[in-house]
Amino acid sequence: GKNSFIGCNTIIESNVKIGENCVIGSFVLIRNSLIYNNVSIQDGVKIGIKGFGFIPIQGKNIRTPHIGKVILEENVEIGANCTIDRGKIDFTYIGENSMIDNLVHIAHNVYIDGNACIAAQSGISGSVSIGKNLISGGQSGYAGHLNIGDNVIVAAKSGVTKNIKDNSKVAGFPAINIYDW
């Protein structure tokens, strides 16, 4: 798109569309992605990479195909050295106005509704669905296939192993109500 900037040594492969006014840093790899307007992607980010998925069959691990996309809505910021896996069949989605700090991994089929703030060194396992306005402290981890409600706050170094209802504040491992913790 118009007025977008792409840094040096960045690779943009086929099956990618980039909107207007985007800033993409150096040493970035983007494939299988739809990036809307006003997105900022810092140095060293990998987007649209095949996720971790396998089927154990007769003592062997057989890789499952990943043929989906990554969708980054408007005004998303991705910090340095993050990895965002493409969807297995459908897509991995990061909603508008979301801010992802450095060194965050977002696995395949994750859905982040929007306006999220996810601090450094966090990891979100595959097929997690996150509502609007998540605030997630640094080094938080999310088990796969969870539903996280709207307006949730997850304290730093928390391990989220169960679904979280709207308007909750959790901490610890396993993450529980912050006041009980």
Side-chain angles (χ1 to χ4, degrees), residues 3 33-34 36 54 71 85 108 143:
N3 301 315
S33 298
L34 177 57
Y36 283 83
F54 62 92
I71 299 173
D85 297 342
H108 60 251

Side-chain angles (χ1 to χ4, degrees), residues 131-145:
K132 292 186 184 304
N133 307 315
L134 172 73
I135 298 175
S136 185
Q139 296 186 334
S140 296
Y142 295 74
H145 304 273

Side-chain angles (χ1 to χ4, degrees), residues 28-138:
V28 172
L29 171 63
I30 303 173
R31 55 172 69 130
N32 309 305
S33 298
L34 177 57
I35 299 171
Y36 283 83
N37 299 330
N38 305 308
V39 170
S40 175
I41 299 170
Q42 295 182 25
D43 298 342
V45 171
K46 309 297 182 224
I47 298 176
I49 309 301
K50 181 172 29 173
F52 184 70
F54 62 92
I55 303 168
I57 297 176
Q58 298 176 345
K60 293 183 180 180
N61 293 322
I62 308 298
R63 277 270 212 193
T64 58
H66 286 73
I67 59 173
K69 288 186 179 276
V70 172
I71 299 173
L72 303 180
E73 286 284 355
E74 291 196 13
N75 303 311
V76 166
E77 182 173 319
I78 308 297
N81 298 310
C82 290
T83 302
I84 303 173
D85 297 342
R86 70 192 288 191
K88 246 184 177 179
I89 305 283
D90 204 356
F91 54 84
T92 299
Y93 178 87
I94 300 178
E96 63 183 327
N97 301 316
S98 292
M99 308 295 268
I100 312 298
D101 197 2
N102 302 334
L103 298 166
V104 172
H105 177 243
I106 298 175
H108 60 251
N109 300 344
V110 169
Y111 183 91
I112 300 173
D113 199 6
N115 204 40
C117 290
I118 301 171
Q121 299 182 341
S122 294
I124 302 174
S125 296
S127 302
V128 172
S129 179
I130 297 173
K132 292 186 184 304
N133 307 315
L134 172 73
I135 298 175
S136 185

